[in-house]
Amino acid sequence: MADTGPSRARYRRILRFAARYMVQAWWFELFLPRLGLARLASRGRAARLTGLARNFHGLAVELGGLMIKVGQFMSSRLDVLPPEITRELEGLQDEVPPVDFAAIKRLAESELGVPLERAFEWVDPVPVAAASLGQAHRARLGPADAADTGFSDVVVKVQRPGIEQIVDVDLAALRRVAQWLSRVRIVRDHVDLPVLIEEFAHTSREEIDYLHEAQNAVRFAENFAGDPRVNAPEIAWERTTRRVLTLADVTAIKINDVDALREAGIDPAAVASEFATVMFDQLFRDGYFHADPHPGNIFVTPTPFGERPWTLTFIDFGMMGEVPDRLRRDLQQVVIAVASRNGRQLVDSIRDVGVLLPSADTAELERAMTALFARFGGMGFAELQQVDPREFQAFAREFGDVIRSLPFQLPENFLLIVRAVSLTSGMCSSLEPAFNMWDAVEPYAAQLIRDERGNVVRAFAREAGSIASVAARLPRRLDDFVTRAEEGRLSVESPRVENRMRSIERVGRRVVSAVLFAGLFIGGAVLRADEAVLGTVLMAASVVPFLHAVLAGVGRRP
């Protein structure tokens, strides 16, 4: 961290903010419950969490830098943060006052090695966008560069002067806060904070490396080469460095501007369907996808003389995700476990995906999954829609403590998948209220099942072998059980009772069932196309965690 006055002041301000709310949390969530005042401490919890998020929102807007990114990152961490915080931070926009053009001009000239007047024929001094890490200006390439690239109108993204030092300061402060929190057993058992901070640091470093973003844009364009549905801006490499990115200006109709789409003769429902198809192509076909498909990053470009009347144009490739082969295989195991209604195997599969931390005590979760399969496993989707919502609420109340107490944490790749699917679903629903995401995912789900069918059969064979092995050992285990009972060495563990006895220490630990919902939702779509019954089981399994994710904390007894 640079040891300057402004840097030290920024560092200390972040630490003071964190320390204040850590002390508040210690008082209300640890100290008062130990005095038997848990009911008193819980009364204002929602308001306190909302106030914390609102104050952080103000701090982030004022400081800029990584603090806005921290807020946006936290708003997506449904797996480790309570909904009062994530809801408040959802609206945090990466919009800050622009840097004076003279400072932007100096940095761009230093990077490009020539005066801006020679690098470009014209540059608009008024930014088209100003964000926490950089800002963008429209410009026009000179005749020689335009002839080489094949385009002249460009957008030039320039890193904010001094942002690398600010990032260093912010990361240093975040690492110190993580060290403080990691000394608290409740936090340590439920969140791997050092890993979380390093995930964020890695993403932030990549976002301020414009060469990396340019390479992402090229890879994305190559995946859709020759596909008339999708367009991406070309890069002007001669005018691109690690801190300056020059790309073709592809500004068109924002994808969520329904009125402008209709004025251009474009059906928003058709856009929704095409957008979903393109996003699932990225997820299931390419394994490389745009992880931030919000309305500002996608345009609908009319192409009256092209193969199609319009195309989808993606921009801003700073946040991209991959679906590695291992993650895909692990998700297939989740599908197999649900299809066989095996609660233990489902829990083991979720752990393999990386969602459950090693400290998780999963005995009660296994019981919850077994009960879920027994109650809802045989129902079709139409039947589930007719189930009294109070049944789902009762199930959530019975097993709510179990879910809340378990240390869930989404792996980075899985988090980006959930984020992309969530943004895609929200966008499509805004374009066409009757849009059905499951219909969009079915073709890809069917293909995945066909590709993995052989593996599924082998997995079922292994399951049958496991059952046979258990049956073979059963007489001996029964004999051991009787012997222990006769000798007075038989003991019984009741994880549910133990969990409830520890509930006072768990106040403030909120984890969200969106983890299970996302995994089971995708699995249900995968199975539904070819195996209706098995797919229905998975869809049923996704309902309860979804309800808990939405209603967590509502009406909960302290």
Side-chain angles (χ1 to χ4, degrees):
M1 183 183 74
D3 190 21
T4 64
S7 294
R8 285 197 302 272
R10 181 184 184 91
Y11 178 79
R12 290 170 180 167
R13 185 169 180 191
I14 295 171
L15 293 188
R16 282 198 302 270
F17 182 92
R20 172 188 171 187
Y21 285 100
M22 285 176 64
V23 169
Q24 182 189 89
W26 172 82
W27 176 260
F28 285 103
E29 310 298 351
L30 294 177
F31 184 72
L32 290 182
R34 288 182 184 276
L35 297 180
L37 300 175
R39 186 182 298 273
L40 175 66
S42 67
R43 285 178 184 168
R45 181 178 297 118
R48 287 195 302 273
L49 292 174
T50 301
L52 162 62
R54 187 173 295 124
N55 289 337
F56 182 84
H57 188 292
L59 179 76
V61 170
E62 182 179 349
L63 291 182
L66 279 190
M67 290 300 100
I68 287 180
K69 295 294 181 183
V70 169
Q72 293 176 326
F73 186 75
M74 289 194 299
S75 73
S76 67
R77 294 307 311 218
L78 301 175
D79 53 325
V80 296
L81 291 174
E84 291 86 354
I85 290 179
T86 57
R87 279 197 301 265
E88 186 66 30
L89 295 177
E90 279 176 351
L92 185 59
Q93 298 296 315
D94 192 1
E95 297 177 359
V96 297
V99 176
D100 184 72
F101 183 68
I104 291 292
K105 184 172 183 289
R106 283 194 298 271
L107 189 149
E109 291 178 341
S110 173
E111 282 290 302
L112 297 174
V114 295
L116 214 57
E117 292 78 9
R118 286 182 53 192
F120 300 97
E121 185 177 89
W122 163 81
V123 179
D124 187 349
V126 179
V128 65
S132 57
L133 304 182
Q135 64 187 48
H137 294 259
R138 286 196 170 92
R140 185 176 299 116
L141 295 175
D145 287 338
D148 288 340
T149 60
F151 54 88
S152 59
D153 291 335
V154 295
V155 171
V156 183
K157 287 179 65 175
V158 183
Q159 197 178 93
R160 290 179 80 91
I163 192 61
E164 290 180 322
Q165 291 75 23
I166 290 175
V167 167
D168 287 341
V169 172
D170 292 353
L171 289 176
L174 291 173
R175 289 186 176 107
R176 174 58 63 86
V177 173
Q179 289 175 1
W180 290 348
L181 289 171
S182 293
R183 295 173 184 169
V184 181
R185 184 173 62 84
I186 292 176
V187 175
R188 186 173 60 248
D189 288 348
H190 282 71
V191 184
D192 192 342
L193 270 179
V195 170
L196 204 62
I197 294 299
E198 293 313 314
E199 274 184 22
F200 178 71
H202 177 73
T203 302
S204 300
R205 296 288 186 195
E206 286 187 340
E207 284 202 57
I208 60 174
D209 183 352
Y210 288 162
L211 286 175
H212 179 79
E213 180 176 343
Q215 291 162 357
N216 288 344
V218 170
R219 180 177 174 184
F220 180 89
E222 288 174 347
N223 286 343
F224 286 97
D227 190 332
R229 302 172 303 163
V230 179
N231 186 34
E234 296 183 62
I235 308 299
W237 288 102
E238 290 297 318
R239 299 298 180 226
T240 295
T241 71
R242 196 170 62 82
R243 297 197 287 176
V244 175
L245 173 61
T246 304
L247 62 166
D249 187 354
V250 292
T251 305
I253 303 171
K254 266 190 166 184
I255 190 172
N256 66 337
D257 192 341
V258 174
D259 292 337
L261 289 173
R262 289 190 174 125
E263 286 178 11
I266 299 172
D267 181 8
V271 173
S273 177
E274 195 76 280
F275 175 56
T277 301
V278 167
M279 287 303 301
F280 285 120
D281 273 347
Q282 296 173 49
L283 285 164
F284 295 127
R285 183 193 69 189
D286 304 330
Y288 184 71
F289 61 95
H290 198 301
D292 195 23
H294 65 73
N297 285 339
I298 301 139
F299 296 114
V300 178
T301 306
T303 53
F305 303 108
E307 294 181 42
R308 301 166 53 85
W310 49 269
T311 62
L312 293 170
T313 301
F314 287 74
I315 63 170
D316 193 349
F317 300 92
M319 185 185 296
M320 303 295 291
E322 298 195 47
V323 187
D325 291 339
R326 179 175 178 180
L327 177 57
R328 187 173 298 185
R329 288 195 300 271
D330 289 340
L331 289 174
Q332 286 292 332
Q333 292 305 309
V334 173
V335 173
I336 293 167
V338 173
S340 59
R341 303 187 190 183
N342 188 323
R344 173 170 294 181
Q345 187 180 351
L346 177 59
V347 172
D348 289 343
S349 300
I350 293 172
R351 194 193 297 274
D352 289 341
V353 169
V355 170
L356 280 175
L357 295 183
S359 60
D361 178 8
T362 57
E364 278 289 275
L365 183 59
E366 290 175 18
R367 191 173 75 85
M369 292 299 98
T370 301
L372 182 84
F373 291 143
R375 175 62 186 90
F376 304 111
M379 291 187 176
F381 186 61
E383 293 176 291
L384 287 172
Q385 292 178 311
Q386 303 302 318
V387 172
D388 188 336
R390 288 174 294 186
E391 282 200 55
F392 295 125
Q393 293 169 4
F395 190 93
R397 281 196 299 271
E398 181 176 358
F399 294 104
D401 286 343
V402 175
I403 296 173
R404 279 189 291 270
S405 68
L406 287 172
F408 285 105
Q409 182 165 307
L410 288 173
E412 182 178 15
N413 285 325
F414 196 77
L415 172 69
L416 293 179
I417 292 170
V418 173
R419 174 183 174 85
V421 171
S422 174
L423 288 173
T424 300
S425 178
M427 177 72 70
C428 292
S429 296
S430 69
L431 290 168
E432 172 52 64
F435 181 80
N436 189 332
M437 179 63 78
W438 289 2
D439 290 341
V441 81
E442 272 187 342
Y444 309 94
Q447 185 60 49
L448 283 178
I449 280 292
R450 285 191 291 270
D451 292 344
E452 297 292 334
R453 192 176 297 280
N455 293 334
V456 171
V457 171
R458 285 192 291 274
F460 274 116
R462 287 195 298 271
E463 178 69 11
S466 174
I467 293 171
S469 175
V470 170
R473 296 194 304 270
L474 187 58
R476 180 176 186 130
R477 296 179 70 180
L478 286 173
D479 183 62
D480 290 343
F481 175 83
V482 172
T483 301
R484 282 184 160 196
E486 290 175 345
E487 294 177 357
R489 295 186 293 111
L490 184 65
S491 62
V492 178
E493 292 183 2
S494 178
R496 184 179 185 185
V497 173
E498 292 170 3
N499 284 342
R500 291 188 180 279
M501 290 177 64
R502 294 195 297 265
S503 63
I504 292 179
E505 296 179 1
R506 290 176 180 157
V507 174
R509 297 188 220 167
R510 299 297 303 275
V511 293
V512 182
S513 301
V515 176
L516 292 176
F517 167 67
L520 298 177
F521 171 81
I522 294 173
V526 167
L527 279 175
R528 184 170 177 251
D530 282 17
E531 304 289 345
V533 175
L534 302 182
T536 297
V537 173
L538 206 95
M539 294 171 193
S542 73
V543 173
V544 173
F546 172 77
L547 288 173
H548 178 260
V550 174
L551 302 175
V554 178
R556 184 186 173 198
R557 293 189 302 272

